[in-house]
C-alpha cells in the first residue's frame, strides 16, 4: 500500500512497462529503439500531479502521503518491479500479447484475462439491486427491446480513453454510425460519453 503498512498486489488490465521496441498504450513507436523515452515523459506527467494527489489524500483520507508517495515510489512500478514487496498481476493473454523479453521475470505474473461467466453476467444484468451500476441492470429491458427491433447494432466503446473531450468522442461516434448507416450501442464507460 502507499502507506506501506498493508501489502498490496496491483492488478493491471494492460501492460505499460518500458521496452526499447514497443511504445506504451497506443502511442506511436519511436525510431532507433527510443521508446523508453515515452516512459520518462509519462513519468514527468504523473509527477506533475503528485501535489494534487497528496492534497486530495490529506483532505479526503486524512493521510499525509508526501513522504511515501514519491517519484522513487512511482519509478519502482516501471523500473524495479522485482524489488516490490508483493507481486503484480497482469490480466492479459500471452496468446495475444507475448511476454516481452525486457519485462521482469520476477514479481510480474501474467495470469490471463479475467472472465465473468455468462450466467453471472446475465444475472447481474437483470438484478437492479446488484447490477445497476456495473452491469446496466437499470437499462437492460430497454437494451433488449432495441436489440430485437432491427439489424444487429455496432458496439462502440472506449472504456476510460478520451480524445479531446467526452463531447467530441460522442459526436465522432454518432457521425461514424450515421455515415455507416448502422444502428449502434455507444457505451459511455469511464470516459463519460453522453448524447
Amino acid at each position: 500500500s502507499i502507506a506501506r503498512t498493508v501489502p498490496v498486489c496491483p492488478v493491471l488490465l494492460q501492460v505499460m512497462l518500458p521496452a526499447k521496441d514497443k511504445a506504451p498504450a497506443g502511442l506511436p513507436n519511436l525510431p532507433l529503439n527510443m521508446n523508453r523515452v515515452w516512459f520518462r515523459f509519462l513519468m514527468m506527467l504523473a509527477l506533475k500531479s503528485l501535489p494534487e494527489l497528496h492534497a486530495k489524500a490529506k483532505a479526503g483520507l486524512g493521510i499525509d502521503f508526501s513522504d511515501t508517495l514519491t517519484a522513487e515510489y512511482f519509478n519502482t512500478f516501471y523500473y524495479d518491479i522485482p524489488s516490490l514487496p508483493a507481486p503484480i498481476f497482469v490480466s492479459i493473454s500471452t496468446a495475444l500479447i507475448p511476454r516481452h523479453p525486457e519485462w521482469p521475470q520476477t514479481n510480474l505474473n501474467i495470469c490471463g484475462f479475467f472472465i465473468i461467466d455468462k450466467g453471472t453476467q446475465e444475472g447481474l444484468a437483470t438484478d437492479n439491486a446488484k447490477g445497476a451500476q456495473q452491469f446496466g441492470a437499470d437499462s437492460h429491458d430497454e437494451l433488449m427491446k432495441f436489440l430485437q427491433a432491427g439489424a444487429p447494432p455496432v458496439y462502440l466503446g472506449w472504456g476510460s480513453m478520451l480524445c479531446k473531450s467526452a463531447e467530441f468522442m460522442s459526436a465522432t461516434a454518432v457521425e461514424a454510425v450515421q455515415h455507416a448507416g448502422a444502428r449502434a450501442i455507444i457505451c459511455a464507460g469511464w470516459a463519460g460519453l453522453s448524447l
Side-chain angles (χ1 to χ4, degrees), residues 183-194:
R183 295 173 0 116
I185 295 172
I186 300 173
C187 185
W190 290 346
L193 306 186
S194 67

Side-chain angles (χ1 to χ4, degrees), residues 88-110:
I88 290 181
F89 295 94
V90 184
S91 174
I92 62 169
S93 168
T94 54
L96 295 176
I97 303 172
R99 187 180 195 107
H100 196 283
E102 292 182 60
W103 296 349
Q105 296 297 314
T106 307
N107 245 8
L108 182 73
N109 302 280
I110 298 174

Side-chain angles (χ1 to χ4, degrees), residues 10-22:
V11 177
L12 310 176
L13 302 180
Q14 62 182 343
V15 181
M16 283 199 27
L17 293 174
K20 293 176 190 171
D21 63 343
K22 184 158 177 50

Side-chain angles (χ1 to χ4, degrees), residues 1-190:
S1 71
I2 296 169
R4 299 189 186 155
T5 56
V6 177
V8 64
C9 292
V11 177
L12 310 176
L13 302 180
Q14 62 182 343
V15 181
M16 283 199 27
L17 293 174
K20 293 176 190 171
D21 63 343
K22 184 158 177 50
L27 293 169
N29 277 319
L30 298 175
L32 305 171
N33 286 329
M34 295 286 294
N35 287 303
R36 286 179 173 260
V37 171
W38 281 123
F39 289 91
R40 289 193 202 111
F41 176 71
L42 292 171
M43 186 60 68
M44 285 176 14
L45 292 176
L47 296 179
K48 278 179 81 172
S49 66
L50 268 182
E52 180 184 350
L53 191 57
H54 291 156
K56 285 183 177 181
K58 188 154 189 143
L61 302 171
I63 301 173
D64 182 1
F65 287 137
S66 57
D67 291 337
T68 53
L69 187 56
T70 62
E72 293 78 22
Y73 186 73
F74 270 114
N75 274 317
T76 303
F77 283 93
Y78 277 136
Y79 300 107
D80 195 12
I81 288 173
S83 75
L84 292 172
I88 290 181
F89 295 94
V90 184
S91 174
I92 62 169
S93 168
T94 54
L96 295 176
I97 303 172
R99 187 180 195 107
H100 196 283
E102 292 182 60
W103 296 349
Q105 296 297 314
T106 307
N107 245 8
L108 182 73
N109 302 280
I110 298 174
C111 55
F113 296 124
F114 300 132
I115 298 170
I116 299 172
D117 68 85
K118 185 178 179 182
T120 301
Q121 288 183 48
E122 289 173 348
L124 289 169
T126 56
D127 184 343
N128 278 324
K130 294 181 182 176
Q133 286 191 323
Q134 299 297 326
F135 287 87
D138 53 347
S139 59
H140 181 264
D141 291 341
E142 185 179 348
L143 175 61
M144 291 296 104
K145 287 177 189 170
F146 176 76
L147 291 173
Q148 294 166 0
V154 174
Y155 169 85
L156 299 162
W158 291 269
S160 61
M161 298 297 169
L162 272 182
C163 177
K164 296 186 182 181
S165 69
E167 293 78 15
F168 174 82
M169 295 288 288
S170 297
T172 302
V174 169
E175 287 173 22
V177 169
Q178 288 175 336
H179 181 75
R183 295 173 0 116
I185 295 172
I186 300 173
C187 185
W190 290 346

